[in-house]
């Protein structure tokens, strides 16, 4: 049977684009590449560079049709470049090279590409931009009026439908939500986020993890839960996940509390737990902060150690560390502490850059808002796990007597 040829989708828009447009173009390029679609652009900056960068993030292929004859003018994210030497006339070449077109924002060059595509029957999706096609009739033979989208996800969903691939769904992911979970004032706070990894989070709270997941699931199907609590408790020694993540966070490594051995958590007092830890870890004491998390650790462990029927009914659970999540978003560990106004502002900015918005009414100045931000970061990692973009630390998880995979995801 002959192989099905790859489809090419153009992403066009202004070269001098506002940051918001570039962010949308990055997401469009990423989503298209995840569906094995070749991303075609004009090869320069702005929207064009954003779409190529998004494709590169997931190992996709992008093609840049440059207006001049010098490859050095191309943005660095492209897989392939073609110096056409055609100037603005290369817009027609781009349109005729594509099976569909996504226009992110507007410019005069973008307008020419959209008009050429519509006039020649190439499907066009408009993400923002001019309202031209609200004015120009599209009833002429051969003209295919564009469709509008309100988000990058909707734009790519339209492209898949127009190419006859609507059954795949955007991101190739199931509908539903992921749930990021963090401890807050002796209870749990959860952040629900669409499986696409972008959108406005919904907050949910509960005194125990089982109730939290039930409450979240009553709103929407929860596909994956990410908790900022150890999953997989050592019987002796220390967990490699703790060691590796602490090392990776450098000066912020103190935010990774060593996971107590299982028998230390069974101890009724901190003094007893320290004695057990010293005996089971080759002389390592037990940090007071780690023992303070005893109730939360045992809650998660009990939830995961439930019977077979409970295990079959609940969504999978992975472990994350929010400080590591934010470090990956930023490209380096953060210098600010999460409970300071500067730290809150930094973390809100990183979430916003990832397309994650806090619900209306969240007071960034109140106590405990850092836990909400940590839960949102955990949800970000959960979405990455579903999309196959996450890293597991260590790459091969440890297994202790509880049989759980002991590793952190980011």
């Amino acid at each position: 049977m002959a192989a099905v040829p790859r489809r090419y989708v153009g992403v066009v828009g202004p070269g001098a684009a506002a940051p918001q447009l570039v962010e949308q173009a990055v997401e469009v390029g990423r989503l298209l590449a995840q569906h094995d679609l070749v991303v075609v652009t004009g090869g320069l900056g702005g929207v064009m560079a954003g779409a190529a960068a998004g494709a590169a993030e997931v190992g996709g292929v992008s093609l840049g049709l440059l207006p001049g004859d010098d490859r050095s003018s191309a943005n660095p994210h492209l897989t392939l470049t073609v110096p056409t030497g055609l100037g603005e006339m290369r817009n027609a070449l781009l349109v005729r090279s594509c099976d569909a077109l996504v226009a992110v924002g507007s410019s005069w060059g973008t307008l020419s590409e959209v008009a050429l595509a519509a006039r020649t029957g190439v499907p066009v999706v408009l993400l923002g931009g001019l309202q031209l096609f609200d004015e120009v009739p599209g009833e002429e033979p051969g003209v295919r009026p564009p469709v509008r989208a309100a988000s990058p996800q909707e734009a790519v969903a339209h492209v898949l439908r127009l190419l006859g691939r609507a059954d795949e769904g955007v991101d190739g992911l199931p509908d539903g939500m992921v749930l990021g979970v963090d401890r807050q004032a002796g209870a749990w706070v959860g952040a629900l986020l669409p499986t696409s990894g972008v959108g406005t989070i919904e907050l949910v709270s509960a005194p125990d993890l089982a109730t939290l997941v039930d409450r979240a699931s009553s709103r929407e199907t929860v596909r994956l839960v990410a908790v900022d609590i150890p999953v997989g408790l050592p019987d002796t020694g220390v967990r490699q996940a703790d060691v590796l993540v602490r090392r990776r966070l450098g000066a912020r490594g103190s935010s990774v509390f060593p996971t107590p051995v299982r028998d230390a958590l069974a101890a009724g007092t901190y003094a007893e737990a320290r004695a057990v830890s010293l005996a089971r870890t080759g002389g390592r004491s037990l940090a007071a902060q780690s023992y303070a998390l005893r109730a939360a650790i045992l809650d998660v462990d009990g939830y995961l150690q439930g019977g077979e029927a409970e295990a079959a009914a609940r969504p999978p659970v992975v472990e994350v560390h929010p400080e590591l999540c934010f470090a990956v978003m930023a490209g380096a560990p953060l210098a600010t502490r999460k409970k300071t106004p500067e730290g809150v502002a930094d973390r809100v900015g990183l979430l916003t850059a990832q397309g994650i918005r806090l619900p209306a009414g969240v007071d960034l100045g109140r106590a405990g808002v850092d836990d909400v931000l940590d839960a949102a970061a955990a949800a970000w990692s959960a979405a990455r796990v579903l999309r196959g973009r996450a890293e597991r630390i260590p790459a091969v998880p440890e297994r202790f007597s509880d049989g759980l995979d002991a590793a952190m995801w980011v």
Side-chain angles (χ1 to χ4, degrees):
M1 181 180 295
V4 176
R6 297 178 79 173
R7 310 297 289 275
Y8 287 59
V9 178
V11 181
V12 300
Q20 181 181 3
L21 287 182
V22 176
E23 289 175 12
Q24 289 181 326
V26 169
E27 185 69 1
V28 168
R30 183 183 67 79
L31 293 171
L32 291 172
Q34 283 187 327
H35 286 274
D36 201 31
L37 297 165
V38 177
V39 175
V40 184
T41 76
L44 303 180
V47 164
M48 296 171 278
E57 280 184 16
V58 293
V61 175
S62 61
L63 168 65
L65 302 178
L66 302 170
D69 54 11
D70 182 3
R71 291 185 194 276
S72 66
S73 65
N75 73 71
H77 310 292
L78 290 161
T79 310
L80 301 167
T81 57
V82 177
T84 68
L86 295 175
E88 293 300 320
M89 297 298 290
R90 68 79 153 82
N91 293 1
L93 180 61
L94 188 152
V95 169
R96 298 307 295 160
S97 300
C98 294
D99 299 291
L101 203 71
V102 179
V104 182
S106 295
S107 68
W108 287 112
T110 307
L111 186 60
S112 71
E113 290 161 320
V114 170
L116 283 168
R119 186 67 183 84
T120 56
V122 176
V124 179
V125 179
L126 302 178
L127 182 55
L130 298 175
Q131 305 295 311
L132 173 69
F133 287 88
D134 294 342
E135 307 292 337
V136 177
E139 299 300 326
E140 299 178 45
V143 172
R144 189 167 188 170
V147 297
R148 290 194 171 275
S151 68
Q153 292 74 27
E154 185 179 346
V156 175
H158 279 310
V159 168
L160 294 173
R161 176 180 58 80
L162 291 164
L163 295 179
R165 294 170 54 175
D167 58 322
E168 295 180 23
V170 177
D171 264 344
L173 294 173
D175 293 334
M177 309 285 265
V178 293
L179 178 65
V181 181
D182 196 64
R183 196 70 171 163
Q184 184 180 60
W188 296 102
V189 60
L192 279 164
L193 183 69
T195 56
S196 63
V198 297
T200 301
I201 64 170
E202 299 178 39
L203 296 177
V204 60
S205 61
D208 59 81
L209 184 60
T211 303
L212 184 82
V213 175
D214 285 345
R215 288 178 179 174
S217 299
S218 69
R219 302 186 185 187
E220 187 69 70
T221 300
V222 175
R223 301 295 181 180
L224 184 69
V225 179
V227 296
D228 177 23
I229 285 291
V231 171
L233 305 180
D235 304 295
T236 60
V238 297
R239 297 194 322 164
Q240 282 301 299
D242 300 336
V243 174
L244 295 172
V245 171
R246 189 181 302 115
R247 185 181 303 160
R248 183 154 164 179
L249 285 174
R252 302 294 299 140
S254 61
S255 63
V256 183
F257 300 147
T259 302
V261 295
R262 182 171 290 279
D263 285 349
L265 292 171
T269 68
Y270 176 47
E272 294 171 351
R274 285 188 64 197
V276 171
S277 182
L278 287 168
R280 294 294 179 87
T281 63
R284 290 177 179 267
S285 185
L286 176 65
Q289 298 99 320
S290 296
Y291 187 73
L293 293 171
R294 175 176 179 264
I297 296 172
L298 291 176
D299 184 14
V300 172
D301 187 63
Y303 179 76
L304 293 173
Q305 297 287 348
E308 291 184 9
E310 291 84 353
R314 68 175 180 245
V317 177
V318 297
E319 179 185 348
V320 299
H321 193 283
E323 202 65 22
L324 179 61
C325 299
F326 285 119
V328 171
M329 292 182 204
L334 300 189
T336 53
R337 296 185 177 275
K338 67 178 187 176
K339 292 185 181 293
T340 65
E342 296 80 11
V344 169
D346 284 346
R347 287 156 178 80
V348 170
L350 289 170
L351 290 168
T352 302
Q354 297 296 323
I356 299 173
R357 298 177 295 277
L358 299 179
V362 171
D363 182 359
L364 297 180
R366 72 172 177 84
V369 73
D370 56 300
D371 300 317
V372 172
L373 301 180
D374 282 352
W380 172 81
S381 274
R384 283 167 60 90
V385 172
L386 279 187
R387 298 201 303 273
R389 298 183 62 204
E391 176 187 359
R392 182 168 59 185
I393 305 172
V396 178
E398 293 181 285
R399 283 281 183 94
F400 308 114
S401 62
D402 53 27
L404 301 173
D405 285 349
M408 296 188 202
W409 290 85
V410 66

